[in-house]
Amino acid sequence: MLPAVEKRVIYLDQFAVSELYKTKAKKRRPGAPHEQFWQDCYSLGNLAYLRQQVIFPASNLHSDETIVWHSPEDLRLAHEMFSGETSFERTDAIAARQEWEFARAFLKGDTRPTMSTDVDQVILGTRNAWLPVYHISVNTNYSMFAPGLRQDKAIAEASLKQLADGWVRARPTFDDLLKHELSSYGSAMRQALREQIAKTQAAFASNDPTSVLDMRFGLISRYRELTELFARNGVPAKDAFSEVLRFLDWPGNQHQPAHRIFAYLFAALGWRISSGQRPEMDASILNDFSAISTYAPYVDAMFVDKQCASLLRQGRLRDELNFKARIFSLSNPQEFLDYLKDLGDSATGDVRVLAHELYDANA
């Protein structure tokens, strides 16, 4: 019988995953920035991982970015080997679960529900299982999705640039931006639903066989199920969807964790730009914001880029966003190394012995 373990959960952003992969595969360019940090990070992280103290689950956000990377299969396998045979549930599924809980509260007339932050509810796989000695991977080719993902990224980047230009002209305050973002849940979800329906209808009407890749059913199914929930809870069937739309505008939704954290991050970014700063932006920052807003309430730690870490240290975000995750970045590299070392050192003697025997870990 293997001893019980209690593993911490750390989210690594895609940049960190690729740097650790290049370090392990000895593919980093000699003299590239932070070379010693990434070597130490891989060594300490791998030791803590093999000693059964931590896992680094993969995310659908990683999957999308990996598909358009130049060596997707190698990078995907590298992350699988650090995941502990687990992955995060899809970010949209986690957000949908939070929305469902708030819909139940809306139907009951409550102000808002109390949300659990148990990390196991957002992980697929068994967090505290001992690592298998062998890892089996299916080398699936997802390259057919790359053109669509690149197109979505280009559209998002153009929208971000247009939005940033508007912030520069209007010079909104942080409070202006936050109020707008928090109150826009209903309008944003309705717009996303309309776009998804339009894309799906266009794909059905097209004679192009590849148009099937443009079909989107996630939000359509999500709001069909929510409509059924309302009908089961006393709302007449003919009025159920209209009541769902009314729920989307409910002020209580401002407290949905994923929506609230994203709104604060977006408002902080907008305020910096309106104040005269113009950081480099591409669509990947939206993935970063999605990762933080979705996983930060649940995981023990996150390693994110410096810009996101800086936004989270901004006064209002630091004081008003209460989430479980400790935030690390290249702005505080030694703190992350110390954190990983403490995790590895926390393994008990019997776990170290077994880890050494099973995985040749340097116990």
Side-chain angles (χ1 to χ4, degrees):
M1 177 74 69
L2 294 170
V5 291
E6 182 66 25
K7 300 184 184 183
R8 300 291 188 270
V9 179
I10 299 178
Y11 172 86
L12 300 174
D13 75 3
Q14 185 70 5
F15 169 71
V17 172
S18 63
E19 290 297 323
L20 290 170
Y21 157 70
K22 288 185 285 188
T23 298
K24 178 184 179 182
K26 295 182 171 54
K27 292 186 176 182
R28 293 194 87 244
R29 176 173 52 82
H34 310 292
E35 182 174 7
Q36 188 60 53
F37 167 76
W38 291 116
Q39 289 176 358
D40 293 342
C41 187
Y42 178 79
S43 176
L44 291 168
N46 190 52
L47 182 60
Y49 173 69
L50 294 177
R51 286 179 174 176
Q52 314 303 303
Q53 301 306 301
V54 65
I55 53 173
F56 306 87
S59 162
N60 62 288
L61 300 174
H62 295 133
S63 301
D64 290 348
E65 293 193 21
T66 297
I67 289 171
V68 299
W69 206 61
H70 56 76
S71 303
E73 294 82 9
D74 293 343
L75 184 57
R76 189 179 303 116
L77 178 59
H79 201 176
E80 285 179 12
M81 297 302 291
F82 241 15
S83 69
E85 303 294 303
T86 66
S87 62
F88 286 113
E89 191 173 6
R90 287 188 58 86
T91 49
D92 53 353
I94 296 171
R97 186 188 304 119
Q98 292 178 3
E99 183 182 65
W100 190 274
E101 291 301 317
F102 274 71
R104 289 182 184 277
F106 174 81
L107 288 165
K108 293 177 182 177
D110 297 338
T111 52
R112 63 177 188 266
T114 300
M115 302 293 297
S116 167
T117 58
D118 180 3
V119 70
D120 290 316
Q121 69 181 345
V122 298
I123 286 181
L124 304 175
T126 306
R127 172 173 60 96
N128 289 323
W130 276 66
L131 302 175
V133 176
Y134 299 104
H135 174 80
I136 299 174
S137 179
V138 178
N139 190 14
T140 306
N141 186 351
Y142 296 100
S143 60
M144 69 181 74
F145 298 104
L149 290 171
R150 291 191 179 100
Q151 182 181 30
D152 290 346
K153 182 177 180 180
I155 293 171
E157 285 181 353
S159 297
L160 274 175
K161 183 180 183 305
Q162 186 177 28
L163 194 57
D165 291 341
W167 288 332
V168 170
R169 290 192 301 271
R171 299 178 65 82
T173 66
F174 177 81
D175 283 328
D176 292 335
L177 290 160
L178 182 61
K179 181 179 179 180
H180 172 76
E181 291 302 322
L182 285 174
S183 63
S184 66
Y185 183 82
S187 59
M189 298 310 294
R190 286 194 297 273
Q191 178 63 25
L193 180 60
R194 284 194 293 267
E195 290 176 358
Q196 193 168 103
I197 291 172
K199 282 187 175 182
T200 302
Q201 289 176 338
F204 273 122
S206 173
N207 291 322
D208 181 3
T210 64
S211 65
V212 68
L213 301 178
D214 291 325
M215 291 184 180
R216 305 286 193 272
F217 297 104
L219 280 180
I220 297 171
S221 299
R222 176 168 157 177
Y223 288 115
R224 181 182 295 120
E225 291 171 2
L226 210 55
T227 300
E228 292 170 359
L229 171 70
F230 276 58
R232 290 196 302 271
N233 282 269
V235 178
K238 64 183 179 62
D239 300 324
F241 184 66
S242 295
E243 191 67 3
V244 168
L245 295 180
R246 191 170 77 85
F247 154 69
L248 293 179
D249 289 322
W250 180 45
N253 286 323
Q254 295 183 18
H255 297 279
Q256 284 193 38
H259 172 60
R260 184 173 183 81
I261 297 171
F262 194 101
Y264 268 79
L265 284 164
F266 211 72
L269 177 66
W271 177 78
R272 285 194 176 180
I273 292 173
S274 74
S275 301
Q277 302 179 45
R278 193 65 183 259
E280 273 193 39
M281 285 197 306
D282 62 33
S284 64
I285 197 170
L286 299 179
N287 272 357
D288 294 337
F289 284 3
S290 293
I292 294 167
S293 59
T294 304
Y295 302 132
Y298 304 97
V299 301
D300 297 286
M302 304 185 75
F303 191 94
V304 300
D305 74 5
K306 290 193 290 185
Q307 180 177 197
C308 289
S310 175
L311 291 173
L312 290 168
R313 287 195 299 271
Q314 189 169 307
R316 294 281 298 277
L317 278 72
R318 184 188 63 244
D319 296 338
E320 297 176 17
L321 291 180
N322 299 311
F323 47 73
K324 184 190 301 183
R326 290 184 61 181
I327 302 297
F328 298 98
S329 74
L330 284 172
S331 297
N332 56 346
Q334 189 57 48
E335 289 182 28
F336 189 55
L337 296 180
D338 292 343
Y339 180 71
L340 293 175
K341 184 177 186 304
D342 287 344
L343 289 179
D345 290 346
S346 67
T348 60
D350 56 345
V351 169
R352 292 188 188 202
V353 170
L354 284 167
H356 179 71
E357 293 176 353
L358 291 170
Y359 318 107
D360 194 29
N362 187 19

